[in-house]
Amino acid sequence: MTIAVTNIRVEDKLYQNRYVVDSGRPHIKVRPHQSPSVNLYALTSVCPAKCYELNDQGQVEITTDGCMECGTCRVLCEASGEIEWNYPKGGFGVLFKFG
Amino acid sequence: MTEEKFDAIVIGAGMSGNAAAYTMASRGLKVLQLERGEYAGSKNVQGAIMYANMLEKIIPDFRDDAPLERHLIEQRFWMMDDTSHTGMQYRSDDFNETNPNRYTIIRAQFDKWFSRKVREAGTTLLCETTVTELAHDTEGKVIGVRTDRAGDVILADVVVLAEGVNGLLGTRAGLRQTPKPETVALAVKEMHFLAEEVIDQRFGLKANEGCVIEAAGTISRNMAGLAFLYTNKESISIGIGCLVSEFAATMESPYDLLENFKNHPSVRPLIAGSEVKEYAAHLIPEGGYKAIPPLFGNGWVVVGDAAQLNNAVHREGSNLAMTSGRIAGEAIVQIKNRGKPMIKENLALYKSMLEKSFVIKDLRKYKDMPALLHTNSRNFFTTYPKLLSQAAQNFMRVDSTPKIEKERATTAAFIKARSRWGLVSDAVRFAFAWR
C-alpha cells in the first residue's frame, strides 16, 4: 500500500480553508513589547494556525490572515495585556465548510 | 429594527443557541438570533458526534430530514505507545435500531439544517452580525445588545448568551472570567475524504454504520490529551486535543501532534489515500463542574460551552449544549407565561431546572477528574500506556519463557515505573474521582 504522508507545513493545511479577510483590520493585535512573556513566546509554537512569529529583534508579531478564531492566544495572553483580542467583523474571518 | 423589542435575543447559532431559540420561538416568543458567521455553522467546530436523545427532546422527528452521516455501531478505545495500541472495542448489532442513539455529523451542514428549523419556528436570524456589547439599564439589568451594524441598541427582555467557549461578551461584561489555560483544551482536526466503500471496507461497516476510535497515550507527548477518529459517510474526522496550559508549558505544536497521530502505524492505514479538505482548531471546555460560572443574572442566562457545560470524561459537549439551551428556553417561556420580569430571582428557575437534569448531575459526578488528570498527566498518558503495551506484548509473544516469569516481569515493570505506593495511590485517586 502506498502511504500518503501529508506535508507538515501549516500553510498547506490552511490553504484548504476558506477565509474572508478584512484587509487592514486585524482582529487580534500584539501590543508593543521589549521581550515576550513565556506565554506569548509559546504562541510561536502553540498557535494552530502559526499566526505568531518571532521577528529579528526577538519580539513576537502576528499575522491574522490564517486565524481559525480558536481563542488559544486569548486564553494564554489576554490577562497579561500583551494582546488585544476581538472577533472579526460580522461575516469576516474563517468560514468552515465542514467544521 | 431599533423600535421593536424582542422577548429574547439569542447570541450565537450553535447547538445551544439553536436549541434555545427553537424552544422559545416554537412556544410563541418573539426571538431574535444573532450570528457572526456568514451562515449558522460557519464558525462552529466539533468532532463531531451527536446524541439523538437530546435532539429528540427538541425536534422529535429530526431523522426525517437532518443531515446525519453514520449511526455508530462500534466504539474503540486505544491506549497508544509509539508503535502499538492496546484496545477495548465494543460493537453491537443492537445499535442498528430503528431510532439509533448516536450519529456522526458534519457541523456546518447540521447547523444549517438546525438553523432552518429554528427560523421555521419563527425566530428572526441575523447573520454576519457580531454583537459588540451587552446594553444595561441604570440598575444594571441587561436590556439588549449593540452590534457592529449601524443602529442603536436592540432591546429584549432577556439575552441568552450562547456565544461558545471563547465568548467575549459575557467576560467583558464581568459575568464570568475568561477560561483559564488549564480549563480548556485546544483541539485540531482535519477532514479526510475517502470513497464510502473504502471507509466501509476498512472499518467493517455497511449501510450508514459508523465506527469511532478514541485514543490516548504517548501521542499526546506527556500532556493530558485525547485523539479521535470518527467515520462520516464519505470522510473521516481526525483530530487531537490537549490542555492549553500543557501546550504552553511544553511548546508542542498541535499540528505536529496531529501529523504524528496520522502517521502512527495503527492509524496510517485507515486514512491512507485520503484527500484533506479542511483543517480546523477549536477550544473545548475541560474544567468541569468547578469551572461553571454563574449561569444567570438580571436579564441574562448563559448556556452551552460559554457556561463550560462539557463532560470531558465522556466526551459529551453538544448534548449538554442542546439540553442547556432547551432548558433555558423552557425556563424563559415559563417566566414569560406567568407575566413575571426577567430578573435574577426569576431566572434562577433555569439553574434549578438544569440541576435536575443529567447536565449538572453528570458534571458533579466527575468534579475531581479534571484536576486529577491535570496533575497526573505523565502517568496516565505516557507511563501507563507504555506499561500496558509491554504487558500485552509480553503476554502474546510465545517464546520459551515460563509464564510465571512473564507475569513477574510485567508486575515488576509496573512497580518499577510507579512504585507500589504510586500504583495504589493512582488507583484510589482515580476511583474517588470517578465514583
Side-chain angles (χ1 to χ4, degrees):
Chain A
M1 189 189 298
T2 50
I3 304 291
V5 178
T6 319
N7 196 323
I8 201 158
R9 272 165 45 93
V10 187
E11 292 81 353
D12 294 338
K13 290 176 182 285
L14 298 172
Y15 187 71
Q16 311 289 338
N17 294 351
R18 195 178 148 224
Y19 294 95
V20 182
V21 176
D22 195 1
S23 296
R25 275 192 297 194
H27 60 285
I28 305 168
K29 288 173 191 156
V30 177
R31 297 221 169 90
H33 56 277
Q34 288 298 314
S35 56
S37 70
V38 173
N39 277 0
L40 183 58
Y41 178 67
L43 288 174
T44 58
S45 292
V46 176
C47 170
K50 214 173 189 311
C51 291
Y52 290 84
E53 282 185 303
L54 213 56
N55 69 14
D56 297 342
Q57 287 81 49
Q59 288 141 2
V60 172
E61 289 179 350
I62 183 171
T63 313
T64 56
D65 293 4
C67 174
M68 294 180 279
E69 298 163 36
C70 68
T72 301
C73 55
R74 177 183 173 226
V75 164
L76 282 173
C77 294
E78 193 184 52
S80 64
E82 291 170 286
I83 63 169
E84 190 186 318
W85 210 101
N86 281 292
Y87 277 119
K89 199 168 169 336
F92 288 93
V94 69
L95 288 162
F96 292 112
K97 295 165 288 189
F98 307 105
Chain B
M1 177 136 303
T2 49
E3 291 84 20
E4 60 180 326
K5 183 181 171 187
F6 292 88
D7 291 322
I9 291 174
V10 177
I11 299 167
M15 288 289 198
S16 64
N18 281 338
Y22 183 90
T23 303
M24 294 187 289
S26 61
R27 287 162 177 77
L29 264 58
K30 190 173 162 189
V31 181
L32 174 70
Q33 189 179 26
L34 301 166
E35 161 60 42
R36 63 189 185 85
E38 188 179 81
Y39 47 87
S42 64
K43 297 288 183 183
N44 303 344
V45 177
Q46 192 193 341
I49 292 174
M50 198 276 298
Y51 300 86
N53 170 271
M54 290 73 191
L55 182 57
E56 261 168 355
K57 288 194 161 68
I58 302 163
I59 303 176
D61 56 355
F62 77 88
R63 290 183 181 84
D64 293 349
D65 56 355
L68 306 168
E69 292 290 312
R70 291 170 183 262
H71 66 273
L72 297 170
I73 65 149
E74 181 174 333
Q75 170 109 28
R76 306 177 195 172
F77 294 103
W78 286 358
M79 283 284 249
M80 304 182 85
D81 70 1
D82 296 339
T83 53
S84 62
H85 70 266
T86 313
M88 196 192 95
Q89 193 161 343
Y90 184 71
R91 180 184 174 109
S92 174
D93 194 46
D94 295 347
F95 290 126
N96 280 317
E97 55 211 319
T98 316
N99 291 327
N101 178 250
R102 301 194 297 168
Y103 296 89
T104 49
I105 57 167
I106 291 174
R107 279 295 297 273
Q109 292 160 12
F110 181 88
D111 289 10
K112 267 187 202 165
W113 166 86
F114 201 170
S115 178
R116 181 163 55 79
K117 295 284 173 187
V118 169
R119 279 173 284 140
E120 283 169 5
T123 297
T124 305
L125 171 68
L126 208 53
C127 287
E128 302 194 341
T129 308
T130 301
V131 178
T132 50
E133 62 178 326
L134 299 174
H136 300 83
D137 66 10
T138 48
E139 267 123 54
K141 181 186 180 295
V142 173
I143 53 163
V145 301
R146 289 189 179 82
T147 75
D148 60 359
R149 287 177 183 251
D152 289 333
V153 175
I154 309 174
L155 297 169
D157 289 334
V158 63
V159 173
V160 178
L161 294 155
E163 51 179 338
V165 60
N166 193 28
L168 293 181
L169 288 165
T171 50
R172 294 220 169 131
L175 308 179
R176 60 172 188 271
Q177 293 181 326
T178 303
K180 301 210 162 19
E182 56 278 11
T183 64
V184 278
L186 166 62
V188 289
K189 183 184 89 161
E190 284 180 351
M191 294 293 284
H192 284 247
F193 280 75
L194 281 166
E196 195 174 338
E197 315 82 78
V198 175
I199 295 175
D200 287 351
Q201 183 233 323
R202 284 183 189 173
F203 292 86
L205 305 167
K206 60 174 168 40
N208 295 331
E209 291 172 342
C211 171
V212 162
I213 300 173
E214 281 167 335
T218 60
I219 45 169
S220 63
R221 298 180 184 166
N222 294 333
M223 299 185 280
L226 192 79
F228 62 87
L229 187 155
Y230 299 156
T231 55
N232 305 315
K233 190 163 277 198
E234 303 179 292
S235 62
I236 290 172
S237 305
I238 184 166
I240 186 164
C242 299
L243 288 176
V244 168
S245 54
E246 304 206 332
F247 268 124
T250 58
M251 294 277 287
E252 292 283 358
S253 296
Y255 37 89
D256 273 354
L257 245 49
L258 181 56
E259 289 305 307
N260 190 49
F261 180 59
K262 282 159 56 186
N263 283 313
H264 189 283
S266 296
V267 177
R268 199 166 50 196
L270 298 173
I271 56 166
S274 62
E275 188 191 353
V276 185
K277 291 196 180 174
E278 191 165 80
Y279 168 62
H282 196 63
L283 294 181
I284 305 169
E286 299 275 338
Y289 184 74
K290 291 177 177 171
I292 299 174
L295 293 169
F296 62 95
N298 272 327
W300 63 272
V301 294
V302 60
V303 294
D305 277 9
Q308 289 261 342
L309 301 175
N310 179 56
N311 184 342
V313 177
H314 286 261
R315 305 146 335 275
E316 293 175 28
S318 65
N319 56 335
L320 279 70
M322 275 193 270
T323 303
S324 62
R326 172 179 62 80
I327 290 176
E330 286 172 359
I332 289 167
V333 169
Q334 278 192 36
I335 297 164
K336 166 92 182 167
N337 288 346
R338 286 180 207 150
K340 291 185 174 170
M342 296 292 165
I343 54 172
K344 194 172 179 180
E345 291 78 352
N346 297 331
L347 287 166
L349 178 64
Y350 161 52
K351 192 182 177 196
S352 64
M353 285 167 72
L354 201 63
E355 278 176 345
K356 290 190 190 102
S357 74
F358 76 94
V359 174
I360 299 292
K361 283 180 182 165
D362 282 358
L363 291 177
R364 195 181 285 128
K365 177 181 191 303
Y366 297 116
K367 65 184 189 315
D368 296 322
M369 196 60 91
L372 173 68
L373 294 182
H374 180 53
T375 54
N376 229 336
S377 58
R378 192 184 170 88
N379 292 326
F380 286 117
F381 293 93
T382 300
T383 311
Y384 286 125
K386 278 189 175 161
L387 287 168
L388 263 179
S389 169
Q390 285 159 13
Q393 194 165 127
N394 194 23
F395 184 77
M396 282 167 212
R397 267 190 206 280
V398 174
D399 49 29
S400 315
T401 316
K403 303 299 179 206
I404 186 82
E405 285 177 29
K406 288 195 171 224
E407 282 176 27
R408 276 183 196 139
T410 295
T411 312
F414 271 79
I415 292 169
K416 183 166 180 254
R418 279 298 288 142
S419 82
R420 280 176 202 278
W421 168 246
L423 289 168
V424 171
S425 140
D426 285 348
V428 168
R429 282 191 288 173
F430 192 80
F432 267 83
W434 187 271
R435 71 182 173 156

